[in-house]
Amino acid sequence: MKSLPSCKPNNGLGARGTAWNTLVATTAAGAICFVQKTGVGLLLAGALTLAPIPAHSLELFGLKLWGSSEEETEPVPDPLPYEASLATTGDNEELTSQLKAASLLLQQQDKPPSGEAGLIARALSDRERLVAKLYSDGRYGGTVDISLAGVPLETALEQADLPNSRPVKVSVLIDPGPVFTFGNVSISTEGYDLSSDPAFWGLARGEVASSGKILSAERRIISMLRGRGYPKAGIAERRITADHANDTLEVTLIADAGLQARFGTVAVNGTDVTDPDFVIQQAMLPEGGVYSPEDLERARKRLNELGIFSSIRLVEGDISGPDGSMPVTIEVSERKRHVIGAGASWSSTEGFGVESYWRRRNLFGRGELLSVEGSIGRLGNESLQDLEYSARIAFEKPGVFGPLTSFSTSLAARQENPDAYKSRTLTFDAYLNREFSEQLKGRAGAEIFYADEEDAFGEDEYLLVGLPADLTFDNRDDKLNPSKGFFASVFAEPAYDTLNSNAMGFVRGTVSSYYALDQSKRFILAGKATAGSIFAPSVESIPASRRYIAGGGGSIRGYAYRNVGPRVNGEVVGGRSLIELSGEVRVKVTETIGVVGFVDAGNAYEDSIPDFSEGLKVGVGGGLRYFTPIGPLRIDAAVPLDPGQDDPDFALYVGLSQAF
């Protein structure tokens, strides 16, 4: 067990017997000395490391107090069984429950320690974590008494010889003491233009003096100083004094910003295949610019988005020179270069779908990505020759004209076979992509699209040459399970059909929004709207696979896949405009289970401008969500309120991630 440094009396604390406990810190490392002056209060002396107090982790006296620990992989020698009980004075059931949950002795009764020494060590650790829990509750005058087989812990430490009864009876008795409030609080940030008002830092006089609030204030002070260009900022001095006569806590925090820094030279460690100069280029750290944690975080995010590193660390060096230059070392670990993946989906209207891909990362050492992808759809609903197939080979190269641009190109072949048409297509495209900000991205390029299709109009061929472009804004907090933010995209493409001498233009936009009704994000409202138009001489002049047809998963749930839109002789042919609306109420019942209620509506129209007199098709339903580390598993059931020809009575959908 780690030894504890002793406390030395502070001559400025007053005569013995006065109702004061004083905690004094003289280093930025967080070492605090608790000097017991009264014989009342917490019977502890040592170095107290104030650390955050989340539910899963806490450290006190340099020891891990609670939190998940690694499972023992080897048998414990000389295991000593024991039975533990914990009681508190007073009738605060909630606090008692929290203390029991924090107690190592109670929570690990099924893991006997090694001999009496192991039990004593566990009891000492438990006392420290229980004291820390009292501190986090603002209780600085409580006592924690632990006895082992009737022997007080302090006596057991001295004699190290417990009675022979087994299992050992362990008793924990806690007097929580009163709740302390903040008294005089002094925040010293002289010369750094930061507020000295304790209330601004969450340490207002009269509020509960939780140790977590002090730590939070320190973190905020340091964060603000770092944000102003002081990377070595810290708390130079922390003085905490508990007044037991008035149940108040006096706090003095003195900040030391250190030197202001500028980004110096950038170095890279850990690369094997990757070109270090490429890493420096993509990080975009402004050499000579004033230090900024935001610049470091943006650099980390840009490097992470390359998908070629499993870990990324940005190590800050020492500040030197008259300009405060601070070198930065980017330490990376490269991911495996070959990736194989697969996925599957199912709905009662579209059947099974499977897909797989092979990827080669970092092809030439500068973040390039080569992908080969394939999928088969509508399994179980069609004969083999009528299934939906797709194959695609794609290449991406980041940093072609600076770190914010990339180039991508692909060649894809596809067969689609919904009820409305049968289509075989071949597409080649090339794009220049640009990141305008963390949320705003766009691309523009060229496309050649060949289609051989058969529908209600007959069989025809098309060869389109187009100039597609799109713009996307995305500030969602989670791509697979968003609880706040917006997603918006707009697409436009002028195109010319060289086989049939027809000019046309495609426009489509989508907006989705998410709003949490409570702080814990268990109740979320989600909405989505999509609209599109095609400007062409007629519906027949547009390839069937490019016309607007609604229905199915991702569109209007409950209706058959691509079965909502204008018809000719009873067959859906699609239209030149589209409206789709979706709304969901998402409720997280437990940490792993959620339920959803939804309404979808939409339609496709013959003209380029929607004719709302034709109304909207509506589908309603509900679903279950099972939250996994890679996203929610989704099961939805939907009913069409106005089913048409070939539409089912209801439909089921299974997939990964939320519907939108």
Side-chain angles (χ1 to χ4, degrees):
M1 179 174 177
K2 184 176 179 180
S3 61
L4 305 178
S6 59
C7 282
K8 296 181 179 179
N10 185 323
N11 293 332
L13 298 181
R16 186 176 183 84
T18 56
W20 290 84
N21 286 343
T22 301
L23 296 80
V24 181
T26 56
T27 71
I32 295 181
C33 179
F34 191 134
V35 181
Q36 179 66 40
K37 298 296 291 183
T38 66
V40 178
L42 300 171
L43 304 178
L44 294 172
L48 169 64
T49 300
L50 277 182
I53 309 180
H56 62 276
S57 175
L58 188 138
E59 289 190 5
L60 182 63
F61 293 88
L63 301 175
K64 182 99 172 198
L65 297 187
W66 67 70
S68 58
S69 58
E70 295 182 1
E71 294 291 334
E72 297 178 0
T73 57
E74 298 181 1
V76 175
D78 187 24
L80 179 61
Y82 69 92
E83 293 179 355
S85 62
L86 185 149
T88 62
T89 60
D91 57 357
N92 192 329
E93 294 183 2
E94 181 179 356
L95 178 60
T96 301
S97 177
Q98 293 173 357
L99 289 167
K100 287 182 176 179
S103 172
L104 193 68
L105 287 167
L106 265 66
Q107 299 303 320
Q108 293 194 1
Q109 291 185 74
D110 59 341
K111 299 177 183 178
S114 178
E116 293 182 358
L119 181 59
I120 292 172
R122 183 174 293 184
L124 285 169
S125 178
D126 204 35
R127 184 171 65 175
E128 292 159 6
R129 64 194 289 136
L130 291 171
V131 167
K133 181 66 189 74
L134 293 176
Y135 283 179
S136 72
D137 206 46
R139 299 174 185 271
Y140 298 87
T143 59
V144 177
D145 294 315
I146 300 177
S147 62
L148 312 176
V151 179
L153 181 57
E154 289 77 10
T155 304
L157 273 170
E158 294 174 2
Q159 64 185 34
D161 188 14
L162 301 177
N164 291 327
S165 60
R166 299 292 183 269
V168 177
K169 302 293 184 182
V170 177
S171 173
V172 182
L173 178 62
I174 302 174
D175 178 4
V179 175
F180 280 58
T181 57
F182 287 115
N184 294 325
V185 179
S186 173
I187 308 292
S188 177
T189 57
E190 244 179 83
Y192 307 126
D193 194 27
L194 295 181
S195 174
S196 59
D197 179 9
F200 177 82
W201 304 104
L203 306 178
R205 186 184 186 93
E207 292 190 357
V208 174
S210 164
S211 60
K213 293 180 180 179
I214 301 172
L215 294 164
S216 177
E218 292 182 0
R219 287 192 297 268
R220 288 184 60 200
I221 291 171
I222 294 171
S223 177
M224 286 191 177
L225 289 173
R226 284 174 58 85
R228 297 186 181 188
Y230 298 92
K232 309 301 182 182
I235 301 300
E237 188 175 355
R238 177 201 296 129
R239 294 194 297 270
I240 303 172
T241 306
D243 180 357
H244 289 267
N246 299 305
D247 296 336
T248 58
L249 198 72
E250 297 186 359
V251 179
T252 297
L253 300 177
I254 301 176
D256 180 13
L259 298 174
Q260 190 175 53
R262 295 181 179 275
F263 286 116
T265 57
V266 180
V268 178
N269 284 337
T271 56
D272 182 19
V273 175
T274 312
D275 183 351
D277 290 338
F278 171 74
V279 178
I280 295 172
Q281 171 192 293
Q282 294 302 117
M284 288 182 64
L285 288 175
E287 187 172 344
V290 175
Y291 168 87
S292 167
E294 288 78 12
D295 284 339
L296 289 175
E297 184 56 35
R298 280 192 289 267
R300 190 191 326 274
K301 183 178 179 182
R302 276 191 292 269
L303 294 176
N304 187 59
E305 288 176 347
L306 293 173
I308 61 177
F309 301 123
S310 59
S311 66
I312 302 167
R313 292 182 63 236
L314 280 74
V315 181
E316 302 171 5
D318 296 328
I319 303 172
S320 62
D323 60 346
S325 177
M326 186 190 72
V328 176
T329 301
I330 303 174
E331 297 183 351
V332 299
S333 177
E334 295 179 336
R335 301 174 71 178
K336 293 181 179 179
R337 300 177 69 192
H338 290 91
V339 184
I340 297 176
S345 62
W346 176 83
S347 80
S348 60
T349 60
E350 299 163 38
F352 282 97
V354 295
E355 61 183 42
S356 64
Y357 60 84
W358 173 89
R359 292 175 181 168
R360 170 78 169 185
R361 298 188 182 110
N362 220 1
L363 191 62
F364 304 119
R366 296 183 66 86
E368 300 88 353
L369 177 65
L370 178 66
S371 301
V372 179
E373 307 164 0
S375 67
I376 303 175
R378 311 205 79 184
L379 287 165
N381 286 12
E382 303 289 344
S383 61
L384 289 177
Q385 64 268 24
D386 291 330
L387 294 178
E388 294 193 338
Y389 301 95
S390 71
R392 180 175 179 265
I393 182 169
F395 174 77
E396 299 176 28
K397 179 176 177 55
V400 288
F401 298 115
L404 298 179
T405 60
S406 65
F407 171 78
S408 61
T409 184
S410 68
L411 177 65
R414 182 179 182 88
Q415 174 175 291
E416 290 183 277
N417 190 29
D419 294 336
Y421 60 86
K422 186 171 184 178
S423 169
R424 297 180 181 88
T425 62
L426 188 66
T427 306
F428 173 77
D429 58 38
Y431 288 94
L432 187 64
N433 310 282
R434 167 76 182 187
E435 178 184 332
F436 300 101
S437 70
E438 291 186 31
Q439 293 82 30
L440 185 63
K441 299 177 182 179
R443 64 176 186 167
E447 176 187 57
I448 300 174
F449 175 83
Y450 169 78
D452 179 4
E453 299 181 333
E454 183 179 352
D455 64 355
F457 292 118
E459 188 172 355
D460 209 341
E461 293 182 274
Y462 307 85
L463 181 61
L464 271 62
V465 178
L467 298 174
D470 58 54
L471 195 64
T472 300
F473 176 84
D474 188 356
N475 67 353
R476 295 173 294 177
D477 58 341
D478 187 326
K479 301 298 186 288
L480 296 179
N481 187 30
S483 62
K484 67 176 181 179
F486 294 90
F487 173 86
S489 69
V490 59
F491 166 83
E493 178 185 8
Y496 185 77
D497 180 1
T498 60
L499 293 183
N500 301 292
S501 302
N502 287 321
M504 59 192 73
F506 301 85
V507 179
R508 185 183 179 104
T510 296
V511 177
S512 57
S513 178
Y514 311 87
Y515 180 75
L517 298 177
D518 61 322
Q519 290 187 346
S520 60
K521 300 179 181 179
R522 290 189 175 272
F523 298 87
I524 296 172
L525 300 180
K528 176 184 176 184
T530 297
S533 290
I534 303 173
F535 301 94
S538 64
V539 171
E540 186 177 357
S541 66
I542 307 166
S545 57
R546 300 289 296 265
R547 300 171 198 156
Y548 289 132
I549 307 174
S555 177
I556 314 171
R557 283 165 285 185
Y559 293 83
Y561 173 61
R562 293 180 69 81
N563 195 50
V564 176
R567 294 176 180 265
V568 172
N569 299 324
E571 296 291 332
V572 175
V573 294
R576 289 180 287 177
S577 59
L578 173 77
I579 293 289
E580 291 176 339
L581 305 170
S582 294
E584 290 192 350
V585 178
R586 303 171 181 172
V587 180
K588 197 170 186 180
V589 180
T590 69
E591 291 304 311
T592 56
I593 301 296
V595 295
V596 172
F598 59 84
V599 177
D600 294 340
N603 211 337
Y605 305 91
E606 181 178 353
D607 296 329
S608 298
I609 304 300
D611 182 1
F612 292 105
S613 64
E614 297 182 23
L616 299 174
K617 296 282 190 175
V618 179
V620 298
L624 291 174
R625 302 291 183 268
Y626 179 74
F627 299 100
T628 73
I630 59 174
L633 178 64
R634 170 170 49 95
I635 303 175
D636 285 338
V639 176
L641 298 188
D642 184 20
Q645 182 180 339
D646 300 323
D647 285 325
D649 295 330
F650 71 95
L652 293 175
Y653 305 90
V654 179
L656 190 64
S657 83
Q658 297 285 6
F660 59 88

Short mmCIF file of all heavy atoms in Angstrom, two decimals, residues 6 35 60 104 177 252 364 517 535 577 583:
data_model
loop_
_atom_site.label_atom_id
_atom_site.label_comp_id
_atom_site.label_asym_id
_atom_site.label_seq_id
_atom_site.Cartn_x
_atom_site.Cartn_y
_atom_site.Cartn_z
N SER A 6 3.10 12.58 6.23
CA SER A 6 2.46 13.13 7.43
C SER A 6 2.24 14.62 7.26
O SER A 6 2.90 15.29 6.49
CB SER A 6 3.35 12.88 8.65
OG SER A 6 4.61 13.49 8.45
N VAL A 35 -4.84 19.34 8.56
CA VAL A 35 -4.34 19.37 9.94
C VAL A 35 -5.52 19.30 10.89
O VAL A 35 -6.38 20.17 10.89
CB VAL A 35 -3.53 20.66 10.19
CG1 VAL A 35 -2.99 20.67 11.60
CG2 VAL A 35 -2.38 20.76 9.20
N LEU A 60 -8.06 9.74 -3.92
CA LEU A 60 -7.79 10.47 -2.69
C LEU A 60 -6.55 9.86 -2.08
O LEU A 60 -6.39 8.64 -2.07
CB LEU A 60 -8.98 10.35 -1.73
CG LEU A 60 -8.88 11.10 -0.40
CD1 LEU A 60 -8.81 12.59 -0.65
CD2 LEU A 60 -10.08 10.79 0.47
N LEU A 104 -15.76 0.08 -0.69
CA LEU A 104 -15.03 -1.04 -1.25
C LEU A 104 -15.26 -2.31 -0.44
O LEU A 104 -15.37 -3.40 -0.98
CB LEU A 104 -13.54 -0.70 -1.30
CG LEU A 104 -12.62 -1.60 -2.12
CD1 LEU A 104 -12.92 -1.45 -3.59
CD2 LEU A 104 -11.17 -1.25 -1.84
N GLY A 177 -21.92 14.12 9.79
CA GLY A 177 -21.68 15.49 10.19
C GLY A 177 -22.52 16.46 9.40
O GLY A 177 -23.28 16.08 8.49
N THR A 252 -9.28 29.76 -0.85
CA THR A 252 -8.43 30.71 -1.57
C THR A 252 -7.76 29.98 -2.72
O THR A 252 -7.09 28.96 -2.50
CB THR A 252 -7.36 31.32 -0.65
OG1 THR A 252 -8.00 32.06 0.40
CG2 THR A 252 -6.44 32.25 -1.43
N PHE A 364 -0.66 5.22 -50.66
CA PHE A 364 0.67 5.71 -51.04
C PHE A 364 1.34 6.50 -49.92
O PHE A 364 2.30 7.23 -50.17
CB PHE A 364 0.57 6.58 -52.30
CG PHE A 364 -0.09 5.88 -53.46
CD1 PHE A 364 -1.26 6.37 -54.02
CD2 PHE A 364 0.48 4.72 -53.99
CE1 PHE A 364 -1.86 5.72 -55.08
CE2 PHE A 364 -0.12 4.07 -55.06
CZ PHE A 364 -1.29 4.56 -55.61
N LEU A 517 -35.86 17.05 -24.91
CA LEU A 517 -36.80 17.70 -24.01
C LEU A 517 -36.31 17.74 -22.57
O LEU A 517 -36.88 18.46 -21.75
CB LEU A 517 -38.16 16.97 -24.05
CG LEU A 517 -38.87 16.97 -25.41
CD1 LEU A 517 -40.16 16.16 -25.32
CD2 LEU A 517 -39.18 18.39 -25.87
N PHE A 535 -36.12 19.41 -63.64
CA PHE A 535 -36.57 20.24 -64.75
C PHE A 535 -36.18 19.53 -66.05
O PHE A 535 -35.00 19.46 -66.40
CB PHE A 535 -35.96 21.63 -64.65
CG PHE A 535 -36.32 22.33 -63.37
CD1 PHE A 535 -35.47 22.27 -62.27
CD2 PHE A 535 -37.52 23.01 -63.24
CE1 PHE A 535 -35.80 22.90 -61.09
CE2 PHE A 535 -37.87 23.64 -62.05
CZ PHE A 535 -37.00 23.58 -60.96
N SER A 577 -41.16 15.88 -59.19
CA SER A 577 -41.04 16.61 -57.91
C SER A 577 -41.39 15.66 -56.77
O SER A 577 -42.07 14.65 -56.96
CB SER A 577 -41.95 17.85 -57.89
OG SER A 577 -43.31 17.49 -58.08
N GLY A 583 -41.61 12.72 -38.73
CA GLY A 583 -41.49 13.18 -37.35
C GLY A 583 -41.41 11.99 -36.41
O GLY A 583 -42.12 10.99 -36.61
#
